[in-house]
Amino acid sequence: MNINLRNAILEDIPILQHWDKQQHVIDCDPEDDWDWSEMLVEEKEWQKMLVAELNGRAIGFVQIIDPYLEETNYWGEIEQNLRAIDIWIGEATDLGKGYGTVMMNLAIEKCFSNEKVKAIVIDPLETNVLAIKFYKKLGFKFVAKREFTKGYMSEVLRLERKECRQK
Ligand SMILES: CC(C)(COP(=O)(O)OP(=O)(O)OC[C@H]1O[C@@H](n2cnc3c(N)ncnc32)[C@H](O)[C@@H]1OP(=O)(O)O)[C@@H](O)C(=O)NCCC(=O)NCCS
């Protein structure tokens, strides 16, 4: 499958905003409101924003952050040398076709290409059972339940470098 991850650029804003309006994207993060024009102008050392392309067609988005350095302190008290990933496929018609697995494996590879990175964490809503199943298939293990956003319980899942098949 010819899928690659590249840096998101300002020209991606219309498609990113279009994806933000899709119900499956809203459902995975109902309270979030990403201001793409603000986020994409300034490069931050703790953040990578990536667009996935399938044969040159943009199909989804991946964000990789260093949760220790992230400036809103979303993850609270957290150790150094971790990465956190957010991922979504833009169009509902592209769901469940194996694209997310390829995207996630590329993102995992990117994270662990830095020798210092010990593990990757993710925080799907506990109601997002399909995503949780997807992450567990990739080797992520349940760590805890946590209310990152008031009224929404998430599951924290974690993939250790040593447990990752690729590294
Ligand atoms: C989660 C997501 C990235 C997975 O990518 P995908 O391309 O749909 O998944 P794949 O086809 O590679 O893998 C299929 C597995 O993913 C899971 N899955 C998650 N969401 C799914 C969906 N909407 N449709 C089908 N399978 C889905 C299933 O467990 C499935 O396993 P199965 O085939 O054994 O049933 C994608 O479904 C998505 O963008 N969902 C909406 C946004 C979201 O929930 N993002 C995660 C936020 S934490």
Side-chain angles (χ1 to χ4, degrees):
M1 211 178 280
N2 184 20
I3 291 179
N4 66 289
L5 298 181
R6 58 153 175 87
N7 288 332
I9 52 172
L10 288 170
E11 286 72 16
D12 294 315
I13 290 175
I15 200 162
L16 291 166
Q17 288 173 336
H18 166 70
W19 292 344
D20 282 347
K21 296 190 199 100
Q22 307 310 304
Q23 197 57 51
H24 66 280
V25 176
I26 295 169
D27 289 346
C28 78
D29 205 352
E31 295 292 308
D32 226 338
D33 186 13
W34 296 50
D35 184 344
W36 296 107
S37 34
E38 193 189 302
M39 290 167 75
L40 284 171
V41 281
E42 197 194 333
E43 229 176 88
K44 308 216 170 72
E45 55 147 344
W46 49 265
Q47 182 183 44
K48 276 197 182 73
M49 291 192 283
L50 305 162
V51 166
E53 290 179 333
L54 168 69
N55 300 322
R57 173 174 72 91
I59 56 164
F61 177 78
V62 177
Q63 173 179 244
I64 301 174
I65 63 157
D66 179 332
Y68 180 82
L69 297 178
E70 189 271 328
E71 62 197 19
T72 71
N73 201 24
Y74 173 83
W75 282 83
E77 284 242 332
I78 189 151
E79 62 211 269
Q80 296 186 45
N81 298 319
L82 300 182
R83 292 293 180 268
I85 296 180
D86 290 297
I87 178 171
W88 58 85
I89 293 207
E91 301 291 346
T93 47
D94 285 328
L95 295 169
K97 293 184 172 167
Y99 304 158
T101 301
V102 179
M103 287 162 61
M104 203 58 193
N105 278 322
L106 290 170
I108 291 168
E109 205 178 300
K110 245 184 212 302
C111 293
F112 287 139
S113 67
N114 179 340
E115 289 299 319
K116 284 190 188 154
V117 173
K118 292 187 293 194
I120 302 168
V121 288
I122 41 178
D123 62 334
L125 293 177
E126 67 171 355
T127 49
N128 198 349
V129 287
L130 283 176
I132 292 170
K133 192 173 152 218
F134 166 79
Y135 293 130
K136 286 189 173 160
K137 244 176 155 176
L138 286 158
F140 283 81
K141 304 252 163 63
F142 173 81
V143 177
K145 291 208 180 198
R146 222 176 123 180
E147 195 177 11
F148 287 94
T149 306
K150 208 167 163 25
Y152 295 94
M153 194 57 85
S154 289
E155 287 199 6
V156 175
L157 304 175
R158 182 168 165 138
L159 179 70
E160 301 295 333
R161 171 190 287 275
K162 57 183 184 301
E163 284 168 12
C164 179
R165 270 175 290 135
Q166 297 171 19
K167 291 282 147 187

